[in-house]
Amino acid sequence: MIEEDLFSHLSMNVPLVNERVYPLFMPENCKKPAIVYTLIIGNDQQSLNSAQAYGSKYMFQIDIYATTYPSVKAIKEQVKEALYSFSKFPHNLSSFDGYEEHTKLFRETIEFNF
């Protein structure tokens, strides 16, 4: 399953988070920095000549959380490098900054397609 492969790849290739990579949400009181990945869309692709699926298209979101802005930016660069070395190449990769006032954490969100 692509989610398991992505989890494993990010855990091994983003050393700044020390394997703190989680699906869907961060556990309460987990150490920071940390990464949360979410499958936003998963579509089967079908051939026009048959009703059989011939592939899949995925859209993921990765949220990076850190206590400082420079840290979240450095982790974003490691995540991008990891994604570009993944078995499936990311397309339409975009990112944006955020800050969560209630947790006092900086956030970087990355969205992309496989």
Side-chain angles (χ1 to χ4, degrees), residues 4-111:
E4 292 171 357
D5 294 340
L6 183 60
F7 166 79
S8 178
H9 189 74
L10 290 172
S11 294
M12 292 186 308
N13 291 285
V14 184
L16 287 174
V17 295
N18 295 322
E19 299 183 7
R20 288 186 295 274
V21 178
Y22 305 102
L24 303 176
F25 66 94
M26 276 188 302
E28 195 171 321
N29 300 319
C30 84
K31 291 180 80 175
K32 310 304 181 288
I35 293 173
V36 175
Y37 67 93
T38 306
L39 175 63
I40 303 297
I41 298 172
N43 291 325
D44 287 338
Q45 303 293 305
Q46 293 182 316
S47 169
L48 295 175
N49 296 327
S50 76
Q52 295 182 351
Y54 68 87
S56 299
K57 182 177 178 181
Y58 303 97
M59 180 178 185
F60 278 92
Q61 177 176 315
I62 294 176
D63 291 298
I64 304 161
Y65 297 93
T67 56
T68 68
Y69 188 71
S71 178
V72 82
K73 289 299 196 176
I75 296 164
K76 177 184 91 167
E77 292 307 314
Q78 283 191 350
V79 169
K80 285 173 53 178
E81 287 177 26
L83 290 172
Y84 287 125
S85 68
F86 189 56
S87 61
K88 296 187 180 297
F89 191 80
H91 298 280
N92 303 319
L93 191 143
S94 62
S95 63
F96 55 92
D97 292 348
Y99 182 75
E100 297 194 359
E101 185 67 37
H102 65 285
T103 61
K104 307 290 187 222
L105 292 174
F106 291 89
R107 184 185 74 243
E108 187 74 26
T109 299
I110 301 173
E111 296 177 343

